[in-house]
Amino acid sequence: MDASKLFLTLTGASAALAGSSCSGGKKAPERPLNVVYIMCDDHSYQTISAYDQRYMETPNIDRLADEGARFTNSFVANSLSGPSRACMLTGKHSHANGFTNNEHGIFDGSQQTLPKLLGAGGYQTAMVGKWHLVSDPTGFDYWDILTGQGDYYNPVFIRNGERLVRHGYSTDITTDVAFEWLDSRDPDKPFCLFLHYKAPHRSWMPDLQDLGVYDNVTYPLPETFYDNYESRVAAAAQEMSIIADMNVIYDLKMADREGEIHTPEQPWLENYGRDLYRRDLAPGELVPGRMDAGQQAAWDAYYDPIIAEFKQADLSGKELYEWKYQRYMHDYCSVIHSVDRNVGRVYDYLREHGLLDNTVVIYTSDQGFYMGEHGYFDKRFMYEESFRPPLVVRMPGGKPVKAAKARTRVLGADFGHRPNDIDEFVQNIDYAPTILDIAGLPVPADIQGESFLPLLCGEKPEKVQTTEGKGWRKSLYYHYYEYPAEHSVRRHYGVRTERYSLMHFYNDLDEWELFDLEKDPQQLHNVYGQPGMEAVTAELMAELTRLQALYEDPISTEI
């Protein structure tokens, strides 16, 4: 689409993206749109009630979807925190932006990035919260980031190069810092705020006010919780099993102060767990990443009875496995409760400051996450749960997209139909060109993603059949690199079409997996090499080759 046709004209509070500016008007924008990009770390779409109502309610995130669009086919290019963030910042796949994995990656901040392009176009930019790209942020007018993974309590921030400890809970603090910047910005210039929460990253430490908020909920055990990984070698070889790898001390907070809970397979975690949830700070003492005496007292009041009950129960086998799952879900959902509350705070700030009518609000995660499916926690695989992040976009003025969309089935569960659903394939490499498009700025030719602003404007393009075709993509490319490393998920790349998912595990393995998502949405039955799949496999192989050539992934010549 001609970028000139996407210049956005806002003439008052009633103007919105779904209005005349999306229908081809060429008038220069009178009030350029602001963008608030909110991204969590490891937030599963399953725990957003706009997508899935089995686990919890998220009314504030849902409101963004209700007043904008819900993307039902949102994906990432590499399901891992740092690489995903690099894809977002550059609009390029991992091999093209150079940040392929967390273990050995350092983001090259000298390259072309979204904040630099926005700044050159007259935008104020700020990066607040979790960064996780090793090198310092570049191209932002202001940056105030958590160190490394960040801490839930009393975290260390780096503010434009200055280290400081802020007292309180990370999600609240990150929002507060964002508000401070919004209050200090130049009101005569458009802005793009990148608001990145640490939550709900492992080890899922809830805010004190949210401890126990879901303790009366018994979560449904996923149908695939006891997956035996038949015919899927890499699926069995991982180390992200709730049963085998989720630690009761580090992950589930059973850090007994008497040291009576033992983990003989990983003895170092005993002391680590007690140190992580310390109970021996002097009154008023504040150590980065540790709780102060008051915080610790509230924490102990909640967890000590759970620890005592757990010790007394002396669980084993399925009882232990399912207890771990429930404890995991209680903590994880409690952390999301704080996220949703803070999304509400952001919405209220924009409304109270008269910004809702010319600000696009994007909510997403750096990747999907497993809520016990296949017995997993974490992400990394090209399997659907980790491949799919949530993505909702609130339109200026709260006007939802009006284009009719087909009913969408994902993972065997019918999301139901909303008039503002967008079911085309989008990927996190699309965020940079989309935000540039929203700003009315040109998209550089070397960006590999595509602006989905036309989709937000209600267009329904045909799916691309060739690299020369016009329309929208018919398939997605994925490549995961981090092995050997934590969780032992093997390197793999693959292609995803509307019906099929084909992936190749390589390096120390040479295994192909093929899933018919229509017949097998839970991806239990690998049909690669089975009789009758020859034609489908050949078509998918051709599409995989096309995508590797399109994106110039060197793996195509290395394997």
Side-chain angles (χ1 to χ4, degrees):
M1 174 175 289
D2 186 345
S4 66
K5 294 183 179 180
L6 296 175
F7 274 15
L8 306 173
T9 303
L10 294 171
T11 57
S14 62
L17 273 175
S20 61
S21 58
C22 279
S23 60
K26 295 184 179 181
K27 184 179 178 181
E30 297 177 6
R31 294 179 61 200
L33 288 174
N34 307 308
V35 178
V36 174
Y37 175 88
I38 306 173
M39 185 168 70
C40 275
D41 192 311
D42 294 343
H43 191 181
S44 63
Y45 72 83
Q46 303 96 301
T47 49
I48 295 178
S49 48
Y51 285 95
D52 190 333
Q53 298 183 358
R54 292 175 297 169
Y55 300 116
M56 64 182 299
E57 293 293 320
T58 51
N60 294 297
I61 299 172
D62 291 0
R63 178 169 52 184
L64 300 180
D66 292 340
E67 297 179 2
R70 178 185 70 159
F71 286 78
T72 58
N73 279 305
S74 166
F75 295 83
V76 295
N78 182 351
S79 185
L80 194 61
S81 180
S84 178
R85 293 158 196 270
C87 289
M88 179 275 291
L89 284 170
T90 63
K92 299 175 183 178
H93 280 275
S94 298
H95 65 273
N97 66 52
F99 195 94
T100 59
N101 69 88
N102 289 333
E103 291 288 312
H104 306 291
I106 298 177
F107 183 70
D108 177 9
S110 68
Q111 66 184 295
Q112 170 185 279
T113 61
L114 174 59
K116 293 176 183 177
L117 295 168
L118 288 170
Y123 271 69
Q124 302 167 94
T125 59
M127 168 66 224
V128 177
K130 185 164 183 178
W131 174 245
H132 202 213
L133 286 169
V134 187
S135 60
D136 287 343
T138 58
F140 296 94
D141 295 306
Y142 178 84
W143 53 274
D144 203 330
I145 61 172
L146 289 159
T147 57
Q149 291 284 3
D151 293 297
Y152 277 108
Y153 283 88
N154 309 326
V156 180
F157 278 77
I158 306 176
R159 179 178 59 195
N160 285 353
E162 174 193 4
R163 295 174 69 91
L164 66 158
V165 179
R166 290 187 168 106
H167 183 266
Y169 187 68
S170 175
T171 307
D172 292 337
I173 294 169
T174 303
T175 305
D176 292 342
V177 172
F179 290 168
E180 290 173 6
W181 179 78
L182 287 169
D183 288 342
S184 67
R185 66 184 175 83
D186 184 344
D188 295 325
K189 293 182 179 180
F191 68 85
C192 182
L193 167 64
F194 298 84
L195 177 55
H196 292 192
Y197 294 119
K198 169 196 171 57
H201 192 276
R202 189 184 188 188
S203 60
W204 319 296
M205 296 176 67
D207 190 348
L208 295 178
Q209 65 181 300
D210 297 321
L211 291 172
V213 68
Y214 292 110
D215 280 3
N216 62 342
V217 177
T218 300
Y219 295 97
L221 198 69
E223 293 179 19
T224 62
F225 186 75
Y226 290 110
D227 190 348
N228 63 10
Y229 314 119
E230 183 179 357
S231 75
R232 288 159 291 143
V233 175
Q238 46 64 41
E239 294 177 0
M240 46 189 264
S241 163
I242 291 175
I243 292 172
D245 304 304
M246 182 174 281
N247 187 272
V248 296
I249 294 177
Y250 173 63
D251 291 312
L252 302 180
K253 329 298 188 299
M254 300 296 101
D256 185 14
R257 72 183 77 191
E258 285 80 25
E260 295 178 10
I261 295 176
H262 301 287
T263 55
E265 73 284 0
Q266 295 172 300
W268 63 273
L269 279 171
E270 294 180 44
N271 290 331
Y272 184 87
R274 287 194 296 277
D275 188 49
L276 183 64
Y277 314 113
R278 285 183 65 176
R279 297 168 165 84
D280 59 353
L281 292 177
E285 183 181 359
L286 182 61
V287 177
R290 309 287 191 232
M291 298 179 185
D292 65 21
Q295 292 165 337
Q296 193 67 68
W299 185 270
D300 289 347
Y302 173 70
Y303 279 103
D304 279 355
I306 298 173
I307 293 170
E309 183 180 347
F310 174 71
K311 287 170 60 179
Q312 184 175 7
D314 194 23
L315 302 174
S316 62
K318 285 191 173 183
E319 285 188 327
L320 174 60
Y321 307 154
E322 294 178 18
W323 178 90
K324 290 172 73 174
Y325 168 73
Q326 294 294 331
R327 187 71 256 154
Y328 163 50
M329 293 296 293
H330 284 130
D331 284 346
Y332 184 97
C333 291
S334 297
V335 171
I336 297 300
H337 196 69
S338 174
V339 170
D340 187 71
R341 181 170 56 247
N342 276 274
V343 170
R345 292 180 64 203
V346 173
Y347 184 99
D348 291 344
Y349 180 98
L350 296 174
R351 180 187 60 206
E352 291 163 6
H353 289 77
L355 294 168
L356 278 179
D357 289 337
N358 73 315
T359 300
V360 177
V361 182
I362 300 168
Y363 184 88
T364 188
S365 175
D366 51 0
Q367 59 262 326
F369 211 69
Y370 292 99
M371 300 285 95
E373 299 90 356
H374 304 288
Y376 296 158
F377 66 102
D378 208 67
K379 58 266 185 178
R380 303 169 193 265
F381 278 111
M382 191 181 160
Y383 303 144
E384 293 287 287
E385 293 89 350
S386 56
F387 195 11
R388 290 177 172 271
L391 176 61
V392 299
V393 180
R394 185 195 183 274
M395 314 303 285
K399 301 292 182 68
V401 173
K402 298 300 183 182
K405 304 295 176 184
R407 291 179 70 85
T408 304
R409 292 182 61 83
V410 180
L411 303 177
D414 194 337
F415 282 172
H417 172 62
R418 294 182 175 204
N420 54 339
D421 280 351
I422 294 176
D423 61 2
E424 282 82 7
F425 283 154
V426 298
Q427 205 162 17
N428 56 350
I429 59 171
D430 299 333
Y431 298 167
T434 299
I435 292 172
L436 290 171
D437 226 351
I438 288 170
L441 299 174
V443 178
D446 63 339
I447 283 183
Q448 295 176 328
E450 298 289 338
S451 169
F452 51 73
L453 180 57
L455 304 181
L456 287 168
C457 292
E459 294 190 15
K460 186 71 174 177
E462 293 184 1
K463 293 181 174 59
V464 172
Q465 297 301 315
T466 68
T467 54
E468 294 78 22
K470 296 181 179 181
W472 198 253
R473 65 170 63 93
K474 66 172 184 177
S475 63
L476 297 154
Y477 183 62
Y478 180 87
H479 196 158
Y480 173 82
Y481 300 81
E482 191 175 281
Y483 180 83
E486 184 180 17
H487 295 305
S488 292
V489 173
R490 269 51 178 185
R491 301 179 193 183
H492 58 291
Y493 56 82
V495 59
R496 167 67 155 81
T497 65
E498 287 189 0
R499 178 166 177 174
Y500 296 101
S501 182
L502 174 72
M503 59 197 80
H504 180 217
F505 294 89
Y506 69 95
N507 188 242
D508 68 330
L509 289 177
D510 183 11
E511 298 283 340
W512 288 87
E513 293 183 2
L514 170 60
F515 300 98
D516 183 337
L517 298 172
E518 184 176 293
K519 296 180 179 179
D520 179 27
Q522 295 177 323
Q523 295 175 286
L524 296 174
H525 308 291
N526 177 16
V527 295
Y528 183 82
Q530 291 191 5
M533 298 304 298
E534 294 86 356
V536 169
T537 301
E539 182 178 345
L540 290 168
M541 289 289 192
E543 183 65 4
L544 178 59
T545 299
R546 184 185 75 83
L547 291 175
Q548 289 181 328
L550 175 66
Y551 297 125
E552 298 181 328
D553 189 346
I555 195 70
S556 61
T557 60
E558 294 174 2
I559 297 296

